[in-house]
Amino acid sequence: MVIIKEFAERIFQNVERVIIGKQQAVELVLVALLCRGHVLLEDVPGTGKTVLAKSIARSIGGTFKRIQFTPDLLPSDVTGVSIFNQQSRDFEFRPGPVFAQIVLADEINRATPKTQSALLEAMEERQITVDGETHPLPSPFIVLATQNPIEYEGTFPLPEAQLDRFLLRLHLGYPDRLDEIAILKRQRQMHPLENLPIVAEIDELIALQQALKEVYVDDLIEEYIVALVTATRHHDDIYLGASARGSLALYRTAQARAAMRGHDFVSPDDVKALVGPVLGHRMIVSPSARVRSVTASAILDEILASVPVPGARSGRRFDRAGAVLSR
């Protein structure tokens, strides 16, 4: 998997010309890129969410469209609309901004649920249906959505079904002091995004997305993934745990993380590093736990500490409920 590692390092170094001090966030976006998954960037304004999406798109030379979600945005403003052509006496489909390889859904929680749902088919099936006619979307198709978790006035929280469509949820956070000074210096004359070069090709990315499936995942690692996800369904502080889609997401992202490090197999550390970004938004914390200020992140830390790691104790296996079986 050296070729995937080299590809990731190339993109990573290019994006770091623009995004400073956010190595983990950039790495996770690259994981989603290799897995053909969508990313929810959740943070306050001004932390670089939009710039990160633009720099990733420019690095791979893909088509990029930005959709500014507002309360008056209509589903047809996202997917496109059929217009009557008087010359041909027939309806012609005019594609919307969703027809791009990387789509930035800016402030997605400001649109109404009806407009938000316009992305559901696109994110899951990579196609959209307008007037009974299905239109395939470009390949690869990746949605990078942003939302402000602090401001709730005039917003519509994403339903659980749509949150589950996102492979990862990330938080960028404020830069530290030295990184912020570096940002000021780099943008003294112009924004570095303006001169960001293309360092990879779309065809190369598509080929690596296929090669990623060859990363070996041991049976014990598969059992470990299922045990972690199953534990979210039986925890006392969780009202609704992660579904099988969460298991698949953890499986794929662990393969990508391993490959980006040049490994041809998945280790328990790959799985543990991705539990938070992959499962955190797929769980609903119970009302009683929220009253006690218990967060999904704290619950996942507890689950990671309680579920045995493969190899830590020889001969241990797990049943369907996540319990350890002796062998």
Side-chain angles (χ1 to χ4, degrees):
M1 292 298 137
V2 176
I3 187 171
I4 295 180
K5 180 182 179 183
E6 189 272 334
F7 170 86
E9 288 177 347
R10 209 186 322 146
I11 301 290
F12 186 86
Q13 292 171 5
N14 199 49
V15 172
E16 275 205 318
R17 300 183 184 183
V18 181
I19 304 296
I20 301 174
K22 301 298 177 187
Q23 290 84 358
Q24 184 179 10
V26 174
E27 180 186 30
L28 289 173
V29 173
L30 292 179
V31 165
L33 196 67
L34 288 168
C35 295
R36 300 173 72 241
H38 311 293
V39 181
L40 179 62
L41 300 169
E42 190 177 63
D43 221 316
V44 296
T47 52
K49 302 185 297 293
T50 301
V51 174
L52 174 59
K54 287 183 176 180
S55 59
I56 291 288
R58 188 163 297 186
S59 295
I60 63 173
T63 56
F64 174 81
K65 294 287 181 64
R66 173 181 176 177
I67 308 173
Q68 184 64 51
F69 280 70
T70 56
D72 60 347
L73 192 74
L74 299 175
S76 58
D77 295 330
V78 176
T79 60
V81 64
S82 295
I83 299 176
F84 185 73
N85 189 322
Q86 294 185 348
Q87 293 182 346
S88 62
R89 310 297 295 178
D90 199 3
F91 283 93
E92 292 182 354
F93 177 67
R94 299 292 177 86
V98 76
F99 282 84
Q101 289 165 327
I102 294 185
V103 176
L104 172 62
D106 213 358
E107 295 185 295
I108 189 173
N109 58 330
R110 289 203 173 276
T112 61
K114 184 176 182 179
T115 302
Q116 291 176 7
S117 66
L119 282 175
L120 282 175
E121 181 185 11
M123 293 172 68
E124 184 67 19
E125 308 294 337
R126 285 172 169 77
Q127 65 182 29
I128 59 103
T129 303
V130 178
D131 296 332
E133 186 176 353
T134 299
H135 305 273
L137 294 170
S139 181
F141 173 73
I142 297 171
V143 174
L144 299 177
T146 70
Q147 70 172 356
N148 180 359
I150 305 299
E151 188 177 354
Y152 293 104
E153 185 175 352
T155 62
F156 303 86
L158 295 177
E160 286 72 24
Q162 188 157 4
L163 279 174
D164 205 32
R165 298 299 198 280
F166 288 100
L167 182 72
L168 301 169
R169 182 179 64 177
L170 310 181
H171 303 274
L172 294 181
Y174 290 118
D176 61 29
R177 175 179 169 274
L178 294 179
D179 289 336
E180 197 160 356
I181 292 174
I183 291 172
L184 297 179
K185 292 182 181 297
R186 289 193 185 184
Q187 297 190 29
R188 183 177 298 166
Q189 299 295 333
M190 65 174 62
H191 200 292
L193 187 63
E194 297 178 13
N195 295 324
L196 196 68
I198 298 173
V199 296
E201 300 293 336
I202 288 294
D203 292 341
E204 180 184 7
L205 173 60
I206 294 174
L208 294 180
Q209 289 172 341
Q210 287 296 118
L212 187 67
K213 298 176 182 179
E214 302 302 320
V215 176
Y216 176 72
V217 183
D218 190 79
D219 291 346
L220 287 175
I221 297 295
E222 292 177 350
E223 293 174 358
Y224 183 53
I225 290 172
V226 172
L228 289 170
V229 175
T230 302
T232 67
R233 303 169 191 165
H234 301 287
H235 197 282
D236 293 338
D237 290 331
I238 298 179
Y239 174 74
L240 183 67
S243 66
R245 186 182 282 135
S247 300
L248 288 169
L250 196 53
Y251 184 94
R252 291 297 183 199
T253 53
Q255 285 182 304
R257 186 180 187 273
M260 287 171 57
R261 282 161 170 70
H263 304 155
D264 58 0
F265 62 93
V266 174
S267 70
D269 287 340
D270 294 319
V271 177
K272 293 171 68 175
L274 291 160
V275 164
V278 171
L279 300 182
H281 60 291
R282 303 176 193 272
M283 302 162 18
I284 300 179
V285 180
S286 67
S288 60
R290 288 199 299 268
V291 170
R292 304 195 315 270
S293 299
V294 176
T295 63
S297 177
I299 295 173
L300 289 174
D301 288 342
E302 181 184 333
I303 289 174
L304 280 172
S306 62
V307 176
V309 178
R313 293 187 180 181
S314 177
R316 290 212 164 186
R317 300 177 68 86
F318 313 106
D319 63 13
R320 292 185 178 180
V324 181
L325 297 175
S326 59
R327 183 171 64 173

